[in-house]
Amino acid sequence: MDTFKRAVVLLVEDDPGDQKLLSKALANQEIPTELQIVGSGEEALEYLLRSKSRDEQSPRPNLILLDLNMPGMNGKEFLRRIKDDVDLCAIPVVVLTVSEAESDIQECYELHAAGYIRKSATPEEFQRVVKTLAKYWFATSSLAGR
Amino acid sequence: MLYFVIIHFLRPVKHLTAGAEKIGKGELNHRVEVESNDELGYLASSFNKMAEDLKKTTTSIDNLNREITERKRAEEALEVSNRELRDFVYIASHDLREPLRKISSFGMLLEESLGGKLQGEDRESLEFMIDGANRMTQMINSLLEYSRIGTKEITYETVDLNEAIGQLEQLELAALLEETGGTIEIQQPLPSVQADPVQIRRLLQNLITNGIKYRSEGIGPRIVIRAVRKSWGLLTEDSPGEQTAEDTVRIEVQDNGIGIEEEHHRRIFKMFKRLHSRDKYEGAGIGLAICQKIVGRHGGRIGVESKAGVGSTFWFTLPASKSLEQEQEKLISSLET
Amino acid sequence: METLKEVVILLVEDDIGDQKLVKKSFEREKIANKLHIAGGGEDAWAYLQRSKNGDGQTPKPDLILLDLNMPGIGGKELLRRIKADAELSAIPVVILTTSDSDQDILNSFKLQASGYIQKPVTLQGFYEAIHNLEEYWFVICKQVPSVKEAACSR
């Protein structure tokens, strides 16, 4: 286990404001991570395909953060496709979305999401959320490929 | 008269022809008779000599092939044995660590639940127990790491030492550097080496950690790292299996710590050998043994220059990483000769 | 960020000592929790089947903590079964094991484990791990509705 390698996080998020919020919050954490951002499900799939061929610019993520409401391919469809791939299904996907709809929550867990987080109302709350997320995934849990 | 002359020449030529055919079929022991003192006789002698040389060469080739096959078989057996050893060490260390974890965890649980009720000697007893378990766990971890260096295959890569040290500063050594106010200085950019990146990282980490750990009282630890490139191999009498690579790099890790007396310079690289009590400086005493093993596996050497009270300079050698241009130059110049 | 009245955790662990350590750790947490302990894969599976009936005695867990190295139905097999069961597959399963093998980690995530925790060596480490686990699953994450419903009907 090469624990000195930074954990690679892939953020699938179309809103530039949210992209920035998460980027800052992650940078503040004790555990250094490498954040890759894509703006849609399609881009995410392309990125993951590139990562399969060990493209240096597209390192394979250890964790995926996924927004549900995006133009084009929606989050659930992306989640379904990822989990269908025998190789990519090993990457845990955490849903990070505004929706609180029970049907969304139920469906995501049934599609094997490894967490469902509602986007916080305030930046302070969001900092706390990201801190807990980072501690769980990068300190407490081991990740495949790290 | 003519008939006589013809016979005189024809017969030896016939023998030579037949001889050549026989040799061609593999009967390398065949020789022709040397019947006369003239050119034909000379030809026959040469033919026999050639046959003899051919036989010798073929025998050498056969021997070589046999040796190669035996070597291959031995390598395969070694690989299997290595794997078995690796698995054994892994399982053994894992199983050994489990009961220790219990002793340590429940010892602490006991401490917690007894809280203030446990006083003086009783409290001490419990602490010794927990401490013992923790130390043993450390030793097993170190042994496991040490054994892995020997059994795991080295993956050679071009390792940028500057980057490796930078990463160590940011990750593994960050806390220690902050606590002690330590600094790491790289005087001039270090050359790259051909080595296993994980092991080299460990090597650097251990040496730098030692430099910081054994610091002088009241003085902030200062580590200086530099490189000396040699274009000849280092050959000394007491170093069998010496690296005779054309390009070796000598890296020096210098500290301003407490230093080491001359008489201990060889001892410190041995397993579990410590010069100080555990109260003053913690550690299992395996860091340098691991360093030595890593360097040895890469075909290099390791040593120390130090005076008590002045600080130490640990040095090690590794094969240099040739840049692509250097490789190309070499190839071109060798083709031109 | 609301939380359930009481979260239910199913621990599948054969080692008595580790059962105790997990129990101790959860007792320290402020969030009300009920820890059910199954000593092996068979026990756990039986519990989970009973939990489908929605009776108060064997509530569906909000989270399953699963050891890998157990005799009989091992952790890996149990994980496979849970994720293959339509009524149980949505329950997050977090591996809690001594194994640090890359293969075990990869296989667990491939089988859709939602976390892989190597049992910490120190007591404090254990407390911290369980605390982080709780904060993540019960404070910042939303609960699985189908499980929550069952919980509300208790």
Side-chain angles (χ1 to χ4, degrees):
Chain A
M1 267 183 306
D2 297 333
T3 48
F4 59 84
K5 291 208 182 101
R6 287 165 184 243
V8 178
V9 182
L10 175 66
L11 172 64
V12 189
E13 167 65 69
D14 65 316
D15 180 289
D18 285 338
Q19 288 178 357
K20 206 162 189 169
L21 259 178
L22 184 86
S23 179
K24 280 187 100 173
L26 261 185
N28 272 344
Q29 299 312 319
E30 278 179 22
I31 303 119
T33 52
E34 183 184 326
L35 181 64
Q36 299 280 345
I37 303 178
V38 292
S40 71
E42 290 91 346
E43 274 178 55
L45 282 176
E46 278 165 31
Y47 178 96
L48 289 165
L49 270 165
R50 287 199 303 272
S51 79
K52 278 206 208 206
S53 46
R54 300 182 188 276
D55 176 4
E56 266 186 39
Q57 307 291 11
S58 317
R60 184 192 173 92
N62 305 105
L63 180 73
I64 298 176
L65 299 177
L66 175 66
D67 184 15
L68 287 187
N69 305 323
M70 291 182 295
M73 186 193 301
N74 72 53
K76 284 190 223 156
E77 181 55 37
F78 171 79
L79 182 54
R80 194 174 285 124
R81 296 241 199 136
I82 288 293
K83 293 302 172 182
D84 267 342
D85 183 298
V86 293
D87 175 34
L88 300 172
C89 71
I91 308 173
V93 181
V94 177
V95 170
L96 195 56
T97 185
V98 292
S99 163
E100 250 188 315
E102 287 210 345
S103 55
D104 280 343
I105 303 175
Q106 180 70 29
E107 215 179 319
C108 285
Y109 277 118
E110 279 172 358
L111 287 170
H112 306 301
Y116 188 108
I117 299 172
R118 189 169 154 272
K119 283 184 192 170
S120 319
T122 68
E124 294 83 31
E125 223 177 79
F126 192 62
Q127 282 283 346
R128 184 206 167 164
V129 167
V130 173
K131 184 168 180 200
T132 302
L133 179 108
K135 279 213 301 203
Y136 176 71
W137 284 112
F138 308 132
T140 298
S141 174
S142 302
L143 288 166
R146 267 204 80 203
Chain B
M1 170 77 189
L2 192 64
Y3 174 76
F4 197 63
V5 169
I6 289 170
I7 294 295
H8 174 72
F9 283 111
L10 271 184
R11 209 182 54 195
V13 170
K14 244 182 159 170
H15 285 174
L16 277 168
T17 313
E21 265 177 46
K22 281 217 168 125
I23 300 265
K25 285 203 187 111
E27 290 176 37
L28 299 177
N29 282 318
H30 182 80
R31 301 287 177 269
V32 297
E33 246 180 85
V34 179
E35 295 172 44
S36 51
N37 235 349
D38 56 6
E39 285 84 353
L40 278 173
Y42 185 67
L43 184 62
S45 302
S46 304
F47 179 89
N48 286 339
K49 182 162 181 308
M50 180 201 75
E52 188 62 36
D53 286 343
L54 191 65
K55 181 171 168 221
K56 281 197 190 133
T57 308
T58 314
T59 311
S60 313
I61 292 176
D62 282 342
N63 287 344
L64 205 63
N65 280 337
R66 206 173 304 131
E67 212 181 289
I68 291 175
T69 315
E70 274 171 23
R71 278 267 178 95
K72 273 213 184 106
R73 227 173 271 149
E75 266 175 27
E76 278 161 28
L78 184 64
E79 181 50 49
V80 169
S81 156
N82 243 15
R83 216 180 312 133
E84 283 174 1
L85 182 64
R86 221 173 17 234
D87 291 342
F88 171 76
V89 172
Y90 180 81
I91 293 170
S93 66
H94 235 264
D95 291 351
L96 287 170
R97 282 187 289 197
E98 258 311 288
L100 288 168
R101 181 171 71 82
K102 292 298 180 0
I103 296 173
S104 163
S105 303
F106 283 95
M108 293 188 229
L109 206 58
L110 202 60
E111 247 184 349
E112 225 182 51
S113 92
L114 288 174
K117 293 182 226 150
L118 209 55
Q119 298 295 339
E121 270 189 22
D122 289 339
R123 181 182 203 92
E124 248 189 8
S125 299
L126 189 55
E127 276 172 12
F128 278 130
M129 241 175 64
I130 298 172
D131 185 52
N134 288 340
R135 270 193 300 126
M136 185 141 176
T137 305
Q138 296 280 47
M139 287 169 94
I140 292 177
N141 288 341
S142 298
L143 278 173
L144 180 62
E145 189 184 349
Y146 185 84
S147 123
R148 272 208 182 119
I149 298 168
T151 53
K152 188 167 176 281
E153 237 187 80
I154 295 192
T155 37
Y156 281 96
E157 273 177 38
T158 305
V159 181
D160 181 342
L161 294 173
N162 306 289
E163 207 183 291
I165 295 171
Q167 282 190 334
L168 282 170
E169 265 184 296
Q170 281 196 319
L171 300 173
E172 290 95 325
L173 297 174
L176 185 62
L177 286 168
E178 206 188 339
E179 269 174 43
T180 60
T183 57
I184 302 175
E185 183 194 325
I186 305 177
Q187 286 184 334
Q188 302 228 314
L190 304 168
S192 296
V193 294
Q194 278 304 111
D196 182 302
V198 177
Q199 290 187 10
I200 293 307
R201 207 174 159 102
R202 176 48 116 192
L203 168 66
L204 289 166
Q205 184 179 351
N206 282 6
L207 292 177
I208 298 174
T209 303
N210 274 358
I212 300 173
K213 188 161 83 175
Y214 294 99
R215 59 188 176 280
S216 307
E217 190 112 15
I219 305 177
R222 215 177 131 245
I223 312 292
V224 178
I225 306 178
R226 65 177 80 83
V228 177
R229 195 186 189 110
K230 296 199 194 292
S231 52
W232 33 271
L234 296 174
L235 294 164
T236 53
E237 275 142 34
D238 60 336
S239 55
E242 186 51 83
Q243 176 181 13
T244 50
E246 294 162 332
D247 264 320
T248 52
V249 178
R250 174 177 158 127
I251 305 290
E252 296 181 351
V253 179
Q254 180 180 27
D255 66 60
N256 58 345
I258 58 176
I260 307 162
E261 282 106 359
E262 184 106 28
E263 67 226 34
H264 298 312
H265 284 192
R266 287 194 96 96
R267 259 182 77 200
I268 53 177
F269 288 98
K270 293 207 162 63
M271 187 93 74
F272 296 139
K273 281 289 178 269
R274 307 189 76 242
L275 298 178
H276 307 275
S277 73
R278 260 180 303 110
D279 297 329
K280 284 196 88 188
Y281 301 101
E282 54 111 52
I286 200 168
L288 286 176
I290 287 178
C291 290
Q292 178 171 62
K293 190 138 201 216
I294 292 175
V295 172
R297 269 220 98 195
H298 285 80
R301 295 254 294 139
I302 191 168
V304 62
E305 281 159 15
S306 175
K307 271 205 175 71
V310 178
S312 310
T313 300
F314 279 86
W315 59 266
F316 60 91
T317 61
L318 287 174
S321 172
K322 301 186 173 71
S323 67
L324 192 60
E325 294 92 61
Q326 283 177 295
E327 288 285 3
Q328 286 175 338
E329 272 174 41
K330 266 192 78 190
L331 189 61
I332 291 169
S333 63
S334 75
L335 289 173
E336 281 170 0
T337 49
Chain C
M1 284 182 285
E2 16 76 45
T3 54
L4 274 183
K5 279 244 94 188
E6 185 187 70
V7 300
V8 177
I9 301 127
L10 174 64
L11 170 67
V12 191
E13 168 65 66
D14 64 322
D15 183 292
I16 309 283
D18 286 333
Q19 286 178 4
K20 219 171 181 151
L21 287 170
V22 174
K23 192 156 193 275
K24 245 328 160 126
S25 304
F26 273 108
E27 277 166 13
R28 294 170 94 246
E29 292 300 312
K30 296 196 182 72
I31 294 170
N33 60 76
K34 181 99 183 72
L35 182 68
H36 289 264
I37 301 178
E42 293 84 351
D43 281 348
W45 191 241
Y47 177 97
L48 288 167
Q49 294 308 321
R50 285 200 306 274
S51 78
K52 292 179 182 178
N53 302 330
D55 81 81
Q57 303 287 44
T58 53
K60 240 190 200 172
D62 300 294
L63 177 73
I64 300 174
L65 281 177
L66 177 59
D67 186 15
L68 285 182
N69 302 325
M70 295 182 297
I73 302 175
K76 201 167 156 192
E77 177 55 33
L78 186 63
L79 176 56
R80 198 176 280 131
R81 286 196 196 180
I82 293 171
K83 292 300 168 181
D85 185 307
E87 280 179 74
L88 303 171
S89 71
I91 306 172
V93 181
V94 176
I95 305 295
L96 180 63
T97 185
T98 53
S99 166
D100 64 352
S101 124
D102 286 335
Q103 204 52 49
D104 280 340
I105 299 174
L106 183 63
N107 286 340
S108 301
F109 278 114
K110 280 212 162 138
L111 291 171
Q112 302 313 307
S114 304
Y116 186 104
I117 302 177
Q118 293 177 31
K119 287 177 188 167
V121 171
T122 63
L123 184 65
Q124 266 315 117
F126 228 99
Y127 288 163
E128 226 177 273
I130 297 296
H131 178 70
N132 290 346
L133 177 89
E134 253 214 347
E135 285 251 312
Y136 179 74
W137 287 108
F138 304 130
V139 178
I140 69 168
C141 275
K142 294 273 166 212
Q143 306 308 305
V144 184
S146 60
V147 179
K148 197 171 153 196
E149 264 167 47
C152 287
S153 64
R154 290 180 214 140

